[in-house]
Amino acid sequence: MSIFDTFLNWKVFVQTLPLLLSGLTTTLTLGITAIILGFIGGLVLALVRLYGVSPLRQISIAYIDVFRSIPILVLLVVIYYALPFVGIRLSPFGAAASALSIVSAAYSAEIFRAGIEAVPKGQFEAAHAVGLSSWRLMGDVVLPQALKIVIPPITSNSINVMKDTALASVVAMPDLLKQATQAQALAANPTPLISAALIYIAILLPLVRLVSVFEKRLARRGR
Amino acid sequence: MQPIIEMKSVVKSFGHFIALQGVDLSIKEGEIVVIIGPSGSGKSTLIRCINQLEEHNSGDIVVDGIEIGQGRKRAVQVEVGMVFQSFNLFPHMTVLRNVALGPARVRGLSWADADERARKLLVRVGLEDHITKYPAQLSGGQQQRVGIARALAMEPKVLLFDEPTSALDPEMVGEVLYVMQQLAKTGVTMIVVTHEMGFARKVADRVVFMDGGRIVEEGRPAELFSAPQDPRLRSFLQAVLSH
């Protein structure tokens, strides 16, 4: 029994691959859903925090602080196991997507805020001087520049969201990790787990590299 | 005739620093007014109050019949154009788009009409060969001419210039002043904060000297430069004209 037969068993790999791929599909769907919802939510939160009227602003600040403080795993368990007691029953996917989006929105909000604040004051003044409305000022002048600034940290945040999808296996969601553990039990061999780990790396490593490239490019431009 | 800009007892403070200590100024339509004075005298604050980039604390400002304050900010900003010391062009837009943005988004022109208007203005400031470039690809003088075209594109009643040549290399000052000089002949009301005394002498209908947040002296350039009354103006002129 060689180490290859134990950890990289080709027969087991081929046998369990369909299961892993179905898990991968779930993981990607969950991750992308949470990334998109977190992006939109974060942008709204950041704008409310910066420009909203007083009670809304406080609510936005409280939201951002609370959900940056709570561990995602705890939030997920609360949503899935505690909310049913008040009649809110979410599917494993619904619970995981909610928990990931809620937290990602809080982190994205702070990233967007930093990006908007990094746009020079003269840009706001010029937009005012041209007579643009507040919406046009944001949409035409400030956000296009802010989004460019936040590409590296937002990508970085998206990588974290993708990794955190693995937590969903706790609420019995058939994601990549869950399917891999299942397959391991069936095959009585750890090859599926190793395969899952390699699949995570294969998907996320290029993104990690991309962040470095973005950061270098931004640094070269001096902003 | 009613003045196009009427300021009465305008006060503006930043924390403990009082930048404008009750300024009265009345400007007629089509008048070219140059504001001079030492740095920190309140010149920039004065014109920034006219288009409400700074909100004044007290006093009245009426621009083209619009009383400023209580949510009338944008109405004024639409009618008043501004050229900034540091250009403040939109770096993510082409030169053409920089100029066409206001007409399209604020005046409601179609993009085709806005682009056409922008193109004509860019020809007028001598930049017809650069319309597809981005601001970062232009020299300072060229960028400032785009800034002037951008302000003109809104067909404003009043044009404000906040030290438009102060950030330029000396060899580029001339091209910007030339465009401004041509502009002065078109009948648009211009208020120019500048240290270019030659421009003031040649182009201004009236020169206003400010010091310590107040208008100290004003008059026709010929009189003001040749026979300054206030000692502060005399020492200021001596300092700027001696080099």
Side-chain angles (χ1 to χ4, degrees), chain A residues 122-123 125 129-131 136 140, chain B residues 48 74 88-90 92 105:
Chain A
Q123 292 293 308
E125 294 187 345
V130 170
R136 289 296 185 199
D140 287 344
Chain B
R48 288 164 62 86
R74 238 191 106 211
N88 298 351
L89 298 180
F90 305 128
H92 57 300
R105 293 304 203 200

Side-chain angles (χ1 to χ4, degrees), chain A residues 11 14 32 34 36 48 55 64 70 72 82 128 130 134 166 168-169 207 211 214:
Chain A
K11 227 179 88 201
V14 172
I32 290 167
I36 292 172
V48 171
I64 293 167
I70 192 167
I72 295 186
H128 280 304
V130 170
S134 310
S169 57
L207 288 177
V211 173
F214 283 148

